[in-house]
Structures are given as C-alpha cells and as structure tokens.
C-alpha cells in the first residue's frame, strides 16, 4: 500500500465532514492546530497521505526519545487507513495547555482489517499542540454496582422502602 492522494476539494480523511483544504491540509502545511482534537485529526490525515515528517514534527521532546521515522514509514506505509472515530475528548481546547483524545483508527494491511484504539495525551508548548504519549486499548472506568435490599430505603428518594416503591 502507498499513501493516498487527497485533493484539496475532497472530503478530509479525518472524517470531519469538511474538505481537506478547510480542515487538516493547513495544519500539514505548518499552521498550528487550535485544539488537541484538531491535532489528532491532522496526525491521522498525515498517516493517510504519507506525511510522516508532520507526524514527527508534532511529537513532544519526550515522545521523540526512541522514535524511528524509518520504522514508522515501513509500518504505517504498509497500511491503508480507512477511517477515524473520535470517541472522547477531555480538555484540549484553545485555552487549555493539556488535553486527551480517545480515538479508533481503522486500517487494512496484509490482507486484514484492523483497529488502532488509543487514548492520547497532548500538551501545548509555545502555542503548538504536541503528542506526548498514549495508552493502547484503554479500558473504561469501572462500573460500581450497589445491591439494594428489599427493606432498604428506595434510592429514588421517595422515603419508602425499596420493596414498596421501585422494587414493587
């Protein structure tokens, strides 16, 4: 597989619904991304079009430790990137200095389809958002279940026993 060519008037590969020229192309050309999510989307678009220099430029100094552009090009270049879903964002707005973006990137490679699910940490340095690190296949917050006894007060706040209220 090779990088895809995306014309300026085509839909942006990040899935924003905008054209490439109105969405990620300006960031790949050097304009700073205004939010952590915009940086995440533009980094995905960079993978699609094979702009690995942009991926490298948007890494924080600590993320550059152990980074191999050659390895990235060999691995990512063998993939066909087919979609991006943003699952959640925390902070990462224009006035924030840190942010988190959880996403799923879909790809095809070696005759198989795959998913890259990550919760990424971003930081703004000198007005520019940078990728810091990420957790692969993040788990959600644990669910806490409390068992209610028949004679316990009803959790709806009625003041009745559970068995005479919501448990009836």
């Amino acid at each position: 597989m090779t990088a895809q060519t995306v014309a300026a008037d085509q839909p942006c590969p990040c899935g924003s619904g905008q054209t490439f020229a109105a969405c990620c192309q300006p960031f790949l050309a050097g304009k700073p991304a205004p939010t952590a999510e915009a940086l995440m989307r533009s980094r995905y678009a960079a993978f699609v079009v094979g702009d690995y220099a942009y991926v490298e430029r948007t890494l924080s100094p600590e993320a550059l430790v152990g980074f191999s552009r050659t390895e990235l090009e060999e691995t990512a270049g063998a993939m066909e990137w087919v979609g991006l879903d943003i699952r959640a964002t925390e902070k990462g707005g224009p006035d924030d200095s840190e942010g988190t973006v959880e996403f799923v990137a879909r790809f095809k490679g070696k005759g198989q389809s795959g998913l890259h699910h990550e919760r990424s940490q971003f930081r703004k340095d000198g007005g520019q958002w940078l990728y810091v690190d990420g957790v692969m296949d993040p788990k959600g917050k644990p669910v806490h279940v409390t068992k209610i006894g028949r004679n316990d007060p009803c959790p709806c706040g009625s003041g009745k026993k559970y068995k005479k209220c919501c448990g009836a």
Side-chain angles (χ1 to χ4, degrees), residues 1-6 13 20 28 42-57 69 72-74 76-81:
M1 309 274 164
T2 59
Q4 297 174 1
T5 302
V6 180
F20 187 45
L28 300 182
S42 65
R43 285 174 55 85
Y44 174 81
F47 277 95
V48 172
V49 300
D51 188 349
Y52 304 118
Y54 179 78
V55 174
E56 185 173 8
R57 275 195 319 273
R69 177 127 162 230
L72 174 67
E73 290 174 355
E74 289 173 359
M79 304 297 174
E80 176 188 357
W81 300 94

Side-chain angles (χ1 to χ4, degrees), residues 12-17 37 40-45 48 81-89 100-107 114-120 122 138:
C12 190
C14 80
S16 67
E37 181 178 336
M40 178 60 244
R41 288 182 176 280
S42 65
R43 285 174 55 85
Y44 174 81
V48 172
W81 300 94
V82 295
L84 175 69
D85 296 316
I86 302 295
R87 294 272 176 97
T89 59
T100 303
V101 179
E102 183 176 343
F103 68 94
V104 174
R106 295 182 313 281
F107 61 89
L115 299 173
H116 176 91
H117 183 193
E118 182 175 327
R119 185 177 297 127
S120 300
F122 296 89

Side-chain angles (χ1 to χ4, degrees), residues 11-148:
C12 190
C14 80
S16 67
Q18 300 179 43
T19 64
F20 187 45
C23 191
C24 291
Q25 192 176 39
F27 306 134
L28 300 182
K31 180 181 175 184
T35 65
E37 181 178 336
L39 179 65
M40 178 60 244
R41 288 182 176 280
S42 65
R43 285 174 55 85
Y44 174 81
F47 277 95
V48 172
V49 300
D51 188 349
Y52 304 118
Y54 179 78
V55 174
E56 185 173 8
R57 275 195 319 273
T58 57
L59 291 174
S60 67
E62 59 269 34
L64 281 167
V65 175
F67 173 77
S68 168
R69 177 127 162 230
T70 304
E71 187 177 312
L72 174 67
E73 290 174 355
E74 289 173 359
T75 305
M79 304 297 174
E80 176 188 357
W81 300 94
V82 295
L84 175 69
D85 296 316
I86 302 295
R87 294 272 176 97
T89 59
E90 294 175 29
K91 298 185 181 178
D95 297 327
D96 293 321
S97 59
E98 295 179 342
T100 303
V101 179
E102 183 176 343
F103 68 94
V104 174
R106 295 182 313 281
F107 61 89
K108 293 180 183 176
K110 299 180 183 176
Q112 297 184 357
S113 296
L115 299 173
H116 176 91
H117 183 193
E118 182 175 327
R119 185 177 297 127
S120 300
Q121 300 295 317
F122 296 89
R123 180 180 69 234
K124 195 187 297 184
D125 282 343
Q128 181 175 345
W129 283 101
L130 299 172
Y131 173 87
V132 177
D133 69 11
V135 175
M136 297 285 295
D137 300 318
K139 305 292 183 228
K141 293 180 181 175
V143 177
H144 180 71
V145 178
T146 303
K147 185 172 180 176
I148 302 168

